Amino acid sequence: MGKFEDERKAMVELLRKRGIKDENVLRAMEKVPRHLFVPEAFIHYAYEDSALPIGFYQTISQPYTVALMTEALEVKPGDKILEVGTGSGYQAAILAEMGAKVFTIERFEELLKTALETLSKLGYNVIGMVGDGSIGWSEFAPYDGIIVTAAAPKIPKSLVNQLKVNGHLVIPIGDLEVQELYIIKKIDEHKLDIKKKFGFKFVPLIGKEGWSEEKSKNNGR
Ligand code: SAM
């Protein structure tokens, strides 16, 4: 039996109990070794349903949040997905395990480097770049889905433009204290269907179509 396999199964059971239904998401989360995406010091907390620090004041998102956001994306094998906020690389691994072609952008070079190393060791072919993901990654657009793992003050127009019709953009929107998770479906070039879920807390999306670094330090003022 592989390392932490029982813990991973228990985590997935909890996700089921909390309402995650997409079997493809649950299967991926049962397979990907989350403990390899957290710093050594937190390895024994890797399968608890909580966010954990990964350095640079950033976090690996809570498993429930990863599952919920991934489910909302409605990923199909072969889909081209843009992730904004690579962090540890765990979310990218879940998407790759589900058969998506993943493009991911991270502000911090060191985080991206470590994440891509971990992903490559596990055999996931994810394409990453250091940069401001609030303006997307036009080179590979349009995308079947876009997932933003940091909170923005409003919906970034560039990301909507880089999304295919019928694709989903999943992004936390709000102030710096609390956000709603927006599940946005692009109906056509001019129409969006937006569903919202309450009560999330993400680190800020810092960039041209996110928060300015200064405002994020002054709590939005
Ligand atoms: N998806 C990550 C994982 O699985 O570990 C969780 C990421 S963490 C909650 C959010 C990440 O977004 C941080 O690593 C942060 O540096 C990054 N970030 C914030 N603003 C960004 C931007 N404009 N472009 C790219 N990355 C950004």
Side-chain angles (χ1 to χ4, degrees):
M1 191 178 279
K3 211 174 172 195
F4 293 112
E5 210 162 289
D6 287 344
E7 286 84 346
R8 207 151 46 239
K9 278 201 165 78
M11 176 188 81
V12 167
E13 273 322 298
L14 181 69
L15 296 175
R16 262 185 224 283
K17 281 199 190 112
R18 292 200 64 184
I20 303 298
K21 291 190 180 68
D22 186 332
E23 285 301 325
N24 293 328
V25 174
L26 293 166
R27 210 173 300 126
M29 293 191 67
E30 191 162 329
K31 180 131 186 243
V32 175
R34 190 172 187 259
H35 63 276
L36 299 183
F37 292 87
V38 305
E40 193 72 37
F42 297 107
I43 207 161
H44 289 286
Y45 302 99
Y47 296 102
E48 290 187 3
D49 195 18
S50 54
L52 293 169
I54 54 171
F56 302 91
Y57 298 102
Q58 305 304 323
T59 52
I60 175 173
S61 304
Q62 173 185 0
Y64 175 69
T65 305
V66 172
L68 191 70
M69 292 178 84
T70 312
E71 187 170 67
L73 265 184
E74 297 184 15
V75 184
K76 294 180 297 305
D79 276 359
K80 205 191 327 170
I81 304 287
L82 175 66
E83 179 196 28
V84 176
T86 317
S88 68
Y90 178 71
Q91 173 73 71
I94 297 295
L95 294 166
E97 179 60 41
M98 291 175 74
K101 178 109 192 86
V102 186
F103 297 84
T104 185
I105 310 183
E106 171 55 54
R107 283 179 74 217
F108 291 103
E109 192 174 354
E110 293 86 340
L111 287 181
L112 183 77
K113 186 170 172 278
T114 308
L116 291 181
E117 276 168 14
T118 312
L119 287 162
S120 152
K121 268 187 215 149
L122 291 169
Y124 297 118
N125 181 21
V126 168
I127 299 165
M129 162 176 103
V130 174
D132 174 12
S134 74
I135 54 167
W137 193 348
S138 58
E139 196 183 341
F140 299 104
Y143 300 95
D144 296 289
I146 301 179
I147 178 167
V148 183
T149 66
K154 55 183 175 8
I155 303 170
K157 283 204 174 67
S158 304
L159 297 186
V160 173
N161 291 339
Q162 291 175 25
L163 186 65
K164 286 186 193 170
V165 167
N166 286 324
H168 290 85
L169 164 62
V170 182
I171 179 170
I173 303 281
D175 58 29
L176 291 163
E177 289 306 313
V178 64
Q179 302 98 31
E180 290 173 311
L181 188 64
Y182 278 35
I183 300 166
I184 302 167
K185 184 170 181 185
K186 187 166 174 174
I187 305 294
D188 61 36
E189 289 306 330
H190 307 285
K191 195 169 172 216
L192 302 176
D193 174 68
I194 306 179
K195 293 196 172 59
K196 299 175 188 176
K197 289 185 187 279
F198 294 92
F200 291 84
K201 166 90 177 144
F202 283 78
V203 295
L205 179 75
I206 309 280
K208 209 167 165 200
E209 295 195 44
W211 294 94
S212 72
E213 195 143 27
E214 204 175 40
K215 272 202 171 156
S216 81
K217 283 188 186 132
N218 296 330
N219 235 352
R221 285 183 289 272

PDB file of all heavy atoms in Angstrom, residues 176-199:
ATOM      1  N   LEU A 176     -10.738  42.081   0.616  1.00  0.00           N
ATOM      2  CA  LEU A 176      -9.569  41.283   1.008  1.00  0.00           C
ATOM      3  C   LEU A 176      -9.876  40.344   2.173  1.00  0.00           C
ATOM      4  O   LEU A 176      -9.111  39.431   2.458  1.00  0.00           O
ATOM      5  CB  LEU A 176      -8.393  42.208   1.347  1.00  0.00           C
ATOM      6  CG  LEU A 176      -7.822  42.921   0.122  1.00  0.00           C
ATOM      7  CD1 LEU A 176      -6.964  44.104   0.530  1.00  0.00           C
ATOM      8  CD2 LEU A 176      -7.014  41.958  -0.734  1.00  0.00           C
ATOM      9  N   GLU A 177     -11.024  40.567   2.835  1.00  0.00           N
ATOM     10  CA  GLU A 177     -11.357  39.761   4.011  1.00  0.00           C
ATOM     11  C   GLU A 177     -12.151  38.507   3.657  1.00  0.00           C
ATOM     12  O   GLU A 177     -11.890  37.434   4.164  1.00  0.00           O
ATOM     13  CB  GLU A 177     -12.183  40.604   5.002  1.00  0.00           C
ATOM     14  CG  GLU A 177     -11.374  41.687   5.687  1.00  0.00           C
ATOM     15  CD  GLU A 177     -10.139  41.107   6.356  1.00  0.00           C
ATOM     16  OE1 GLU A 177     -10.269  40.093   7.054  1.00  0.00           O
ATOM     17  OE2 GLU A 177      -9.046  41.672   6.154  1.00  0.00           O
ATOM     18  N   VAL A 178     -13.157  38.683   2.788  1.00  0.00           N
ATOM     19  CA  VAL A 178     -14.046  37.563   2.476  1.00  0.00           C
ATOM     20  C   VAL A 178     -14.505  37.689   1.019  1.00  0.00           C
ATOM     21  O   VAL A 178     -14.636  38.795   0.493  1.00  0.00           O
ATOM     22  CB  VAL A 178     -15.229  37.499   3.484  1.00  0.00           C
ATOM     23  CG1 VAL A 178     -16.117  38.713   3.381  1.00  0.00           C
ATOM     24  CG2 VAL A 178     -16.041  36.230   3.318  1.00  0.00           C
ATOM     25  N   GLN A 179     -14.691  36.534   0.412  1.00  0.00           N
ATOM     26  CA  GLN A 179     -15.089  36.556  -1.007  1.00  0.00           C
ATOM     27  C   GLN A 179     -16.210  35.558  -1.281  1.00  0.00           C
ATOM     28  O   GLN A 179     -16.455  34.654  -0.502  1.00  0.00           O
ATOM     29  CB  GLN A 179     -13.890  36.193  -1.907  1.00  0.00           C
ATOM     30  CG  GLN A 179     -12.695  37.097  -1.752  1.00  0.00           C
ATOM     31  CD  GLN A 179     -11.643  36.507  -0.842  1.00  0.00           C
ATOM     32  OE1 GLN A 179     -11.487  35.297  -0.777  1.00  0.00           O
ATOM     33  NE2 GLN A 179     -10.925  37.359  -0.133  1.00  0.00           N
ATOM     34  N   GLU A 180     -16.855  35.763  -2.444  1.00  0.00           N
ATOM     35  CA  GLU A 180     -17.793  34.780  -2.971  1.00  0.00           C
ATOM     36  C   GLU A 180     -17.073  34.065  -4.102  1.00  0.00           C
ATOM     37  O   GLU A 180     -16.277  34.689  -4.816  1.00  0.00           O
ATOM     38  CB  GLU A 180     -19.030  35.473  -3.540  1.00  0.00           C
ATOM     39  CG  GLU A 180     -19.903  36.099  -2.477  1.00  0.00           C
ATOM     40  CD  GLU A 180     -21.014  36.923  -3.100  1.00  0.00           C
ATOM     41  OE1 GLU A 180     -20.741  37.738  -3.988  1.00  0.00           O
ATOM     42  OE2 GLU A 180     -22.146  36.737  -2.695  1.00  0.00           O
ATOM     43  N   LEU A 181     -17.374  32.774  -4.243  1.00  0.00           N
ATOM     44  CA  LEU A 181     -16.803  32.047  -5.369  1.00  0.00           C
ATOM     45  C   LEU A 181     -17.752  32.231  -6.547  1.00  0.00           C
ATOM     46  O   LEU A 181     -18.916  31.846  -6.464  1.00  0.00           O
ATOM     47  CB  LEU A 181     -16.649  30.568  -4.998  1.00  0.00           C
ATOM     48  CG  LEU A 181     -15.896  29.730  -6.021  1.00  0.00           C
ATOM     49  CD1 LEU A 181     -14.456  30.205  -6.154  1.00  0.00           C
ATOM     50  CD2 LEU A 181     -15.908  28.263  -5.609  1.00  0.00           C
ATOM     51  N   TYR A 182     -17.267  32.866  -7.610  1.00  0.00           N
ATOM     52  CA  TYR A 182     -18.079  33.077  -8.811  1.00  0.00           C
ATOM     53  C   TYR A 182     -17.835  31.911  -9.772  1.00  0.00           C
ATOM     54  O   TYR A 182     -16.679  31.622 -10.113  1.00  0.00           O
ATOM     55  CB  TYR A 182     -17.677  34.370  -9.530  1.00  0.00           C
ATOM     56  CG  TYR A 182     -18.265  35.647  -8.991  1.00  0.00           C
ATOM     57  CD1 TYR A 182     -18.482  35.817  -7.632  1.00  0.00           C
ATOM     58  CD2 TYR A 182     -18.593  36.702  -9.845  1.00  0.00           C
ATOM     59  CE1 TYR A 182     -19.003  36.997  -7.141  1.00  0.00           C
ATOM     60  CE2 TYR A 182     -19.112  37.886  -9.363  1.00  0.00           C
ATOM     61  CZ  TYR A 182     -19.316  38.033  -8.012  1.00  0.00           C
ATOM     62  OH  TYR A 182     -19.823  39.205  -7.528  1.00  0.00           O
ATOM     63  N   ILE A 183     -18.924  31.265 -10.184  1.00  0.00           N
ATOM     64  CA  ILE A 183     -18.837  30.220 -11.209  1.00  0.00           C
ATOM     65  C   ILE A 183     -19.509  30.810 -12.444  1.00  0.00           C
ATOM     66  O   ILE A 183     -20.732  30.978 -12.486  1.00  0.00           O
ATOM     67  CB  ILE A 183     -19.521  28.923 -10.720  1.00  0.00           C
ATOM     68  CG1 ILE A 183     -18.808  28.445  -9.441  1.00  0.00           C
ATOM     69  CG2 ILE A 183     -19.491  27.849 -11.811  1.00  0.00           C
ATOM     70  CD1 ILE A 183     -19.551  27.399  -8.659  1.00  0.00           C
ATOM     71  N   ILE A 184     -18.674  31.196 -13.397  1.00  0.00           N
ATOM     72  CA  ILE A 184     -19.152  31.986 -14.539  1.00  0.00           C
ATOM     73  C   ILE A 184     -19.149  31.117 -15.787  1.00  0.00           C
ATOM     74  O   ILE A 184     -18.118  30.519 -16.119  1.00  0.00           O
ATOM     75  CB  ILE A 184     -18.214  33.201 -14.755  1.00  0.00           C
ATOM     76  CG1 ILE A 184     -18.162  34.051 -13.472  1.00  0.00           C
ATOM     77  CG2 ILE A 184     -18.659  34.025 -15.965  1.00  0.00           C
ATOM     78  CD1 ILE A 184     -17.045  35.080 -13.472  1.00  0.00           C
ATOM     79  N   LYS A 185     -20.291  31.058 -16.468  1.00  0.00           N
ATOM     80  CA  LYS A 185     -20.324  30.350 -17.750  1.00  0.00           C
ATOM     81  C   LYS A 185     -20.476  31.390 -18.854  1.00  0.00           C
ATOM     82  O   LYS A 185     -21.341  32.270 -18.767  1.00  0.00           O
ATOM     83  CB  LYS A 185     -21.488  29.350 -17.774  1.00  0.00           C
ATOM     84  CG  LYS A 185     -21.488  28.523 -19.043  1.00  0.00           C
ATOM     85  CD  LYS A 185     -22.480  27.380 -18.974  1.00  0.00           C
ATOM     86  CE  LYS A 185     -22.406  26.585 -20.275  1.00  0.00           C
ATOM     87  NZ  LYS A 185     -23.393  25.541 -20.351  1.00  0.00           N
ATOM     88  N   LYS A 186     -19.608  31.285 -19.855  1.00  0.00           N
ATOM     89  CA  LYS A 186     -19.698  32.234 -20.970  1.00  0.00           C
ATOM     90  C   LYS A 186     -20.761  31.721 -21.942  1.00  0.00           C
ATOM     91  O   LYS A 186     -20.541  30.716 -22.621  1.00  0.00           O
ATOM     92  CB  LYS A 186     -18.320  32.341 -21.633  1.00  0.00           C
ATOM     93  CG  LYS A 186     -18.230  33.409 -22.694  1.00  0.00           C
ATOM     94  CD  LYS A 186     -16.760  33.663 -23.021  1.00  0.00           C
ATOM     95  CE  LYS A 186     -16.558  34.586 -24.161  1.00  0.00           C
ATOM     96  NZ  LYS A 186     -15.135  34.920 -24.355  1.00  0.00           N
ATOM     97  N   ILE A 187     -21.904  32.384 -21.982  1.00  0.00           N
ATOM     98  CA  ILE A 187     -23.030  31.946 -22.821  1.00  0.00           C
ATOM     99  C   ILE A 187     -22.748  32.320 -24.281  1.00  0.00           C
ATOM    100  O   ILE A 187     -22.935  31.519 -25.186  1.00  0.00           O
ATOM    101  CB  ILE A 187     -24.354  32.602 -22.352  1.00  0.00           C
ATOM    102  CG1 ILE A 187     -24.591  32.315 -20.865  1.00  0.00           C
ATOM    103  CG2 ILE A 187     -25.535  32.152 -23.213  1.00  0.00           C
ATOM    104  CD1 ILE A 187     -24.850  30.866 -20.510  1.00  0.00           C
ATOM    105  N   ASP A 188     -22.338  33.568 -24.490  1.00  0.00           N
ATOM    106  CA  ASP A 188     -21.867  33.999 -25.814  1.00  0.00           C
ATOM    107  C   ASP A 188     -20.910  35.164 -25.592  1.00  0.00           C
ATOM    108  O   ASP A 188     -20.579  35.470 -24.445  1.00  0.00           O
ATOM    109  CB  ASP A 188     -23.038  34.344 -26.769  1.00  0.00           C
ATOM    110  CG  ASP A 188     -23.897  35.482 -26.232  1.00  0.00           C
ATOM    111  OD1 ASP A 188     -23.343  36.410 -25.599  1.00  0.00           O
ATOM    112  OD2 ASP A 188     -25.123  35.444 -26.425  1.00  0.00           O
ATOM    113  N   GLU A 189     -20.480  35.808 -26.638  1.00  0.00           N
ATOM    114  CA  GLU A 189     -19.454  36.862 -26.497  1.00  0.00           C
ATOM    115  C   GLU A 189     -19.926  38.015 -25.605  1.00  0.00           C
ATOM    116  O   GLU A 189     -19.117  38.784 -25.103  1.00  0.00           O
ATOM    117  CB  GLU A 189     -19.024  37.386 -27.873  1.00  0.00           C
ATOM    118  CG  GLU A 189     -18.179  36.400 -28.688  1.00  0.00           C
ATOM    119  CD  GLU A 189     -16.927  35.879 -27.960  1.00  0.00           C
ATOM    120  OE1 GLU A 189     -16.363  36.602 -27.112  1.00  0.00           O
ATOM    121  OE2 GLU A 189     -16.531  34.730 -28.229  1.00  0.00           O
ATOM    122  N   HIS A 190     -21.253  38.151 -25.407  1.00  0.00           N
ATOM    123  CA  HIS A 190     -21.747  39.299 -24.638  1.00  0.00           C
ATOM    124  C   HIS A 190     -22.478  38.908 -23.367  1.00  0.00           C
ATOM    125  O   HIS A 190     -22.887  39.781 -22.602  1.00  0.00           O
ATOM    126  CB  HIS A 190     -22.696  40.147 -25.503  1.00  0.00           C
ATOM    127  CG  HIS A 190     -22.071  40.525 -26.810  1.00  0.00           C
ATOM    128  ND1 HIS A 190     -21.104  41.492 -26.903  1.00  0.00           N
ATOM    129  CD2 HIS A 190     -22.249  40.012 -28.050  1.00  0.00           C
ATOM    130  CE1 HIS A 190     -20.711  41.573 -28.168  1.00  0.00           C
ATOM    131  NE2 HIS A 190     -21.376  40.675 -28.876  1.00  0.00           N
ATOM    132  N   LYS A 191     -22.681  37.602 -23.152  1.00  0.00           N
ATOM    133  CA  LYS A 191     -23.532  37.193 -22.027  1.00  0.00           C
ATOM    134  C   LYS A 191     -22.847  36.171 -21.122  1.00  0.00           C
ATOM    135  O   LYS A 191     -22.303  35.168 -21.611  1.00  0.00           O
ATOM    136  CB  LYS A 191     -24.836  36.616 -22.591  1.00  0.00           C
ATOM    137  CG  LYS A 191     -25.899  36.507 -21.549  1.00  0.00           C
ATOM    138  CD  LYS A 191     -27.259  36.196 -22.161  1.00  0.00           C
ATOM    139  CE  LYS A 191     -28.235  35.897 -21.040  1.00  0.00           C
ATOM    140  NZ  LYS A 191     -29.182  34.882 -21.393  1.00  0.00           N
ATOM    141  N   LEU A 192     -22.912  36.461 -19.804  1.00  0.00           N
ATOM    142  CA  LEU A 192     -22.343  35.544 -18.816  1.00  0.00           C
ATOM    143  C   LEU A 192     -23.447  35.052 -17.895  1.00  0.00           C
ATOM    144  O   LEU A 192     -24.318  35.834 -17.508  1.00  0.00           O
ATOM    145  CB  LEU A 192     -21.281  36.258 -17.972  1.00  0.00           C
ATOM    146  CG  LEU A 192     -20.097  36.891 -18.697  1.00  0.00           C
ATOM    147  CD1 LEU A 192     -19.207  37.631 -17.699  1.00  0.00           C
ATOM    148  CD2 LEU A 192     -19.292  35.835 -19.455  1.00  0.00           C
ATOM    149  N   ASP A 193     -23.384  33.782 -17.521  1.00  0.00           N
ATOM    150  CA  ASP A 193     -24.267  33.277 -16.474  1.00  0.00           C
ATOM    151  C   ASP A 193     -23.395  33.150 -15.216  1.00  0.00           C
ATOM    152  O   ASP A 193     -22.361  32.491 -15.249  1.00  0.00           O
ATOM    153  CB  ASP A 193     -24.827  31.904 -16.887  1.00  0.00           C
ATOM    154  CG  ASP A 193     -25.621  31.279 -15.771  1.00  0.00           C
ATOM    155  OD1 ASP A 193     -26.690  31.810 -15.460  1.00  0.00           O
ATOM    156  OD2 ASP A 193     -25.161  30.272 -15.185  1.00  0.00           O
ATOM    157  N   ILE A 194     -23.795  33.801 -14.123  1.00  0.00           N
ATOM    158  CA  ILE A 194     -22.944  33.803 -12.924  1.00  0.00           C
ATOM    159  C   ILE A 194     -23.673  33.183 -11.737  1.00  0.00           C
ATOM    160  O   ILE A 194     -24.769  33.620 -11.372  1.00  0.00           O
ATOM    161  CB  ILE A 194     -22.516  35.250 -12.554  1.00  0.00           C
ATOM    162  CG1 ILE A 194     -21.856  35.926 -13.761  1.00  0.00           C
ATOM    163  CG2 ILE A 194     -21.562  35.240 -11.354  1.00  0.00           C
ATOM    164  CD1 ILE A 194     -21.420  37.363 -13.511  1.00  0.00           C
ATOM    165  N   LYS A 195     -23.047  32.143 -11.158  1.00  0.00           N
ATOM    166  CA  LYS A 195     -23.574  31.556  -9.921  1.00  0.00           C
ATOM    167  C   LYS A 195     -22.563  31.889  -8.817  1.00  0.00           C
ATOM    168  O   LYS A 195     -21.364  31.925  -9.076  1.00  0.00           O
ATOM    169  CB  LYS A 195     -23.716  30.042 -10.052  1.00  0.00           C
ATOM    170  CG  LYS A 195     -24.776  29.649 -11.059  1.00  0.00           C
ATOM    171  CD  LYS A 195     -25.177  28.188 -10.889  1.00  0.00           C
ATOM    172  CE  LYS A 195     -26.370  27.839 -11.747  1.00  0.00           C
ATOM    173  NZ  LYS A 195     -26.148  28.063 -13.198  1.00  0.00           N
ATOM    174  N   LYS A 196     -23.061  32.110  -7.589  1.00  0.00           N
ATOM    175  CA  LYS A 196     -22.152  32.520  -6.513  1.00  0.00           C
ATOM    176  C   LYS A 196     -22.290  31.618  -5.300  1.00  0.00           C
ATOM    177  O   LYS A 196     -23.402  31.236  -4.945  1.00  0.00           O
ATOM    178  CB  LYS A 196     -22.470  33.964  -6.090  1.00  0.00           C
ATOM    179  CG  LYS A 196     -22.309  34.959  -7.208  1.00  0.00           C
ATOM    180  CD  LYS A 196     -22.757  36.350  -6.766  1.00  0.00           C
ATOM    181  CE  LYS A 196     -22.764  37.282  -7.974  1.00  0.00           C
ATOM    182  NZ  LYS A 196     -23.274  38.617  -7.641  1.00  0.00           N
ATOM    183  N   LYS A 197     -21.156  31.322  -4.680  1.00  0.00           N
ATOM    184  CA  LYS A 197     -21.172  30.581  -3.417  1.00  0.00           C
ATOM    185  C   LYS A 197     -20.482  31.452  -2.370  1.00  0.00           C
ATOM    186  O   LYS A 197     -19.435  32.045  -2.651  1.00  0.00           O
ATOM    187  CB  LYS A 197     -20.434  29.250  -3.564  1.00  0.00           C
ATOM    188  CG  LYS A 197     -21.214  28.260  -4.426  1.00  0.00           C
ATOM    189  CD  LYS A 197     -20.522  26.905  -4.460  1.00  0.00           C
ATOM    190  CE  LYS A 197     -21.181  25.963  -5.426  1.00  0.00           C
ATOM    191  NZ  LYS A 197     -22.385  25.305  -4.883  1.00  0.00           N
ATOM    192  N   PHE A 198     -21.074  31.466  -1.157  1.00  0.00           N
ATOM    193  CA  PHE A 198     -20.605  32.419  -0.150  1.00  0.00           C
ATOM    194  C   PHE A 198     -19.488  31.864   0.737  1.00  0.00           C
ATOM    195  O   PHE A 198     -19.330  30.652   0.869  1.00  0.00           O
ATOM    196  CB  PHE A 198     -21.774  32.821   0.762  1.00  0.00           C
ATOM    197  CG  PHE A 198     -22.818  33.573   0.024  1.00  0.00           C
ATOM    198  CD1 PHE A 198     -23.899  32.909  -0.545  1.00  0.00           C
ATOM    199  CD2 PHE A 198     -22.722  34.950  -0.123  1.00  0.00           C
ATOM    200  CE1 PHE A 198     -24.868  33.609  -1.254  1.00  0.00           C
ATOM    201  CE2 PHE A 198     -23.683  35.651  -0.832  1.00  0.00           C
ATOM    202  CZ  PHE A 198     -24.753  34.973  -1.396  1.00  0.00           C
ATOM    203  N   GLY A 199     -18.758  32.790   1.344  1.00  0.00           N
ATOM    204  CA  GLY A 199     -17.910  32.461   2.480  1.00  0.00           C
ATOM    205  C   GLY A 199     -16.571  31.829   2.172  1.00  0.00           C
ATOM    206  O   GLY A 199     -16.246  30.761   2.692  1.00  0.00           O
TER     207      GLY A 199
END
